[in-house]
Amino acid sequence: QVQLIESGGGMVQAGGSMTLSCAASGRRFSNLGMGWFRQAPGKEREFVAAISRSGRFTDFADSVKGRFSISRDNVKNTMSLQMNRLEPEDTAVYYCAANANAILSGTYSDMGVYESWGQGTQVSVSS
């Protein structure tokens, strides 16, 4: 069982930046494929970004490409989401997710491949 704890959410003005972190425990972190998802009020949860076990492969939703970056530290057992040029449309609860099995290429954006989820952290972007 993997435990995930997100941190770093809050309020920011449009155009600003924010970094989210996810701390993992319970399994060897370097064996986990990791992802970020978000859910805005009244909307379904959607994919934001993902990173492979080694960190060599990353994937992003079209809506955040060029603005967000994802990284991981397999020594500190953490994953980060750097969010730049934030927009009001980025307002949502952001969730960290982990997969302990192999993630097939092209499926990192599929919520169904992730077995473990954090409780989420709120990000609010004002215009």
Side-chain angles (χ1 to χ4, degrees), residues 20-46:
L20 303 182
S21 295
C22 175
S25 61
R27 293 287 293 267
R28 184 184 295 272
F29 187 67
S30 59
N31 287 344
L32 301 175
M34 301 294 294
W36 287 100
F37 290 77
R38 68 186 181 186
Q39 188 166 17
K43 295 187 176 181
E44 294 186 350
R45 192 171 298 188
E46 64 176 8

Side-chain angles (χ1 to χ4, degrees), residues 102-120:
I103 301 179
L104 297 177
S105 176
T107 65
Y108 277 84
S109 60
D110 182 356
M111 282 195 297
V113 306
Y114 298 92
E115 308 103 2
S116 302
W117 293 81
Q119 292 190 330

Side-chain angles (χ1 to χ4, degrees), residues 40-64:
K43 295 187 176 181
E44 294 186 350
R45 192 171 298 188
E46 64 176 8
F47 170 71
V48 177
I51 189 166
S52 64
R53 298 174 182 180
S54 66
R56 285 192 290 267
F57 172 80
T58 59
D59 191 18
F60 296 91
D62 288 342
S63 59
V64 306

Side-chain angles (χ1 to χ4, degrees), residues 86-106:
L86 283 160
E87 303 169 353
E89 293 73 22
D90 296 316
T91 295
V93 176
Y94 283 70
Y95 297 90
C96 170
N99 171 288
N101 302 297
I103 301 179
L104 297 177
S105 176

